Amino acid sequence: MNFVISSVMLMVLVAGVALYLGKQAFTEPGPSANGDTFLVKPNTGVQDIADQLERRGLISDARIFRLGVRAFGNDSALKAGEYEIKPKASMRDIMELLKSGKSVMYSLTIPEGLTVEQALQRIADETALSGDMPATTLPEGSLATDTLRFTRGATRQQMIDKLLADQKKLVEDVWQRRAPDLPLANIEEFVTLASIVEKETGKGDERSRVAAVFLNRLAKGMRLQSDPTIIYGLFGGKGKPADRPIYQSDIQKPTPYNTYVINGLPPTPIANPGRAALEAVANPSKTEDLYFVADGTGGHVFAATLDEHNENVARYRALQKKQADDAAKAAAGTGTSDGNAVKPADGGDDSGGDAGAAQ
């Protein structure tokens, strides 16, 4: 009897010590000094999760982790996802994190003014996404300009479907709130003009006035004369190479998009317009402006008459010449001049690159 009692007491003591040590190991700081991300795939069991954590050096003992999860009743509570394990995270910390389902979030940004082709390339290049790109071509201007948040494993098609749906809803909502008597035949022309406004200016306080210039020109039957339409006609959705200026010869180069050559609007948008550009076209400024030209500081100056516009162009050209002269002097002073002429700030178009360059 003494032997039996002693044996039972010993087992209780051993079990108590083991429980104490196991609990201590479960809650003490973990072995990973730097932390890491850890991916739990769907339908992965606790044993596999524990083994992977131990192999990655994120926990010290897979068996203790497994028993601890079971002791807390969380055998079926751990969720699939990608998790950021903090440095020295304990097994209990990791269990609670995997139980929470708070996965690492990624961002995908589609800025205003990208073409559909450029936007799709960003989606294709995002390594945290899965799945193939669509085989069909998407209409230009059909993707929302937005930042999407997602977890690893989300599909590229899901991102595209959301951007398509968001843009469709946005365009329809803004179109319903448009000013009366806009010289636009339909919602497709609305998006096309908004894409031109998007490419012409990035300044929020100018968009509605730039839109007014183009709408006033359409109402009068004047050509839009927008440089971004030249670029799209020459390079399409790939966009202009960064080192390729607009040459004077490009202005009269016939393409279906070149609004220096064609009457009215191009056949499709030339980029994905954002909300601000759409709002600007739907409710433009009330002006008589028919022209605008760069002011040399990132903005534009506007004019209602050709004479006033020509004065603005002359001032802009004088500013360009002064900038070129100053640059040449600075280069000569440092001995780095290579003798090449300095190009105008807009890439080579003497007009200043904006509506009304010639009449």
Side-chain angles (χ1 to χ4, degrees):
M1 181 63 69
N2 288 337
F3 175 75
V4 172
I5 293 173
S6 298
S7 298
V8 170
M9 290 180 63
L10 181 60
M11 286 189 291
V12 170
L13 179 61
V14 170
V17 171
L19 182 62
Y20 172 78
L21 294 176
K23 183 179 178 182
Q24 187 177 39
F26 194 71
T27 57
E28 70 185 7
S32 176
N34 300 316
D36 204 349
T37 56
F38 182 74
L39 179 64
V40 179
K41 295 181 179 179
N43 303 316
T44 304
V46 175
Q47 182 170 338
D48 288 339
I49 292 173
D51 290 342
Q52 291 174 34
L53 286 168
E54 184 178 359
R55 285 197 298 270
R56 294 277 299 278
L58 295 170
I59 63 174
S60 57
D61 193 310
R63 183 178 58 174
I64 292 177
F65 180 84
R66 185 171 67 252
L67 293 173
V69 170
R70 184 169 299 163
F72 280 95
N74 290 326
D75 259 359
S76 59
L78 306 188
K79 298 179 176 65
E82 185 180 19
Y83 299 93
E84 184 176 357
I85 309 296
K86 294 181 178 179
K88 297 296 182 180
S90 69
M91 295 189 209
R92 181 165 185 173
D93 292 337
I94 295 173
M95 177 191 72
E96 294 295 341
L97 178 62
L98 271 56
K99 182 181 173 183
S100 74
K102 295 179 180 178
S103 295
V104 174
M105 299 297 293
Y106 293 87
S107 296
L108 171 68
T109 299
I110 306 298
E112 292 87 347
L114 288 191
T115 66
V116 162
E117 184 174 349
Q118 291 167 336
L120 291 178
Q121 189 60 54
R122 288 198 172 204
I123 296 172
D125 291 343
E126 177 52 68
T127 57
L129 291 171
S130 64
D132 297 329
M133 295 295 291
T136 56
T137 302
L138 302 180
E140 188 62 84
S142 62
L143 296 178
T145 59
D146 199 1
T147 296
L148 301 181
R149 300 274 287 168
F150 64 94
T151 57
R152 181 178 291 277
T155 68
R156 293 179 173 85
Q157 189 63 57
Q158 287 174 332
M159 299 296 104
I160 293 168
D161 289 344
K162 178 165 176 53
L163 292 171
L164 285 169
D166 288 354
Q167 185 73 339
K168 184 176 186 295
K169 183 179 185 304
L170 172 63
V171 168
E172 290 174 349
D173 287 349
V174 177
W175 177 247
Q176 291 299 319
R177 294 184 279 104
R178 68 189 183 278
D181 303 324
L182 292 179
L184 300 171
N186 50 49
I187 196 170
E188 288 76 22
E189 289 192 354
F190 166 59
V191 178
T192 297
L193 184 55
S195 72
I196 295 174
V197 172
E198 186 68 74
K199 298 296 288 184
E200 280 285 4
T201 181
K203 297 192 69 175
D205 59 350
E206 285 190 348
R207 286 192 183 96
S208 62
R209 198 167 180 183
V210 169
V213 169
F214 289 129
L215 289 164
N216 290 343
R217 282 179 158 254
L218 286 173
K220 292 179 176 292
M222 299 170 65
R223 289 178 175 170
L224 298 186
Q225 297 181 318
S226 167
D227 281 6
T229 64
I230 299 175
I231 294 169
Y232 194 87
L234 293 173
F235 303 102
K238 294 186 183 301
K240 182 177 76 67
D243 58 350
R244 167 63 155 85
I246 300 176
Y247 297 113
Q248 192 70 31
S249 59
D250 293 332
I251 295 176
Q252 297 304 322
K253 192 170 293 183
T255 74
Y257 288 87
N258 185 353
T259 53
Y260 282 84
V261 175
I262 65 169
N263 297 319
L265 290 161
T268 73
I270 62 172
N272 294 304
R275 177 184 288 274
L278 291 163
E279 295 279 7
V281 174
N283 293 280
S285 299
K286 302 298 183 183
T287 75
E288 296 183 357
D289 294 332
L290 294 171
Y291 310 91
F292 62 91
V293 68
D295 62 7
T297 65
H300 296 83
V301 288
F302 298 81
T305 68
L306 183 58
D307 287 343
E308 184 182 358
H309 175 65
N310 285 337
E311 292 176 3
N312 292 336
V313 171
R315 281 193 291 271
Y316 177 64
R317 287 176 176 169
L319 177 62
Q320 284 183 310
K321 184 177 185 304
K322 182 178 184 304
Q323 290 172 338
D325 290 345
D326 290 346
K329 289 177 182 177
T334 58
T336 60
S337 174
D338 60 3
N340 292 328
V342 178
K343 293 184 177 67
D346 67 340
D349 177 6
D350 286 333
S351 69
D354 299 305
Q359 181 63 32

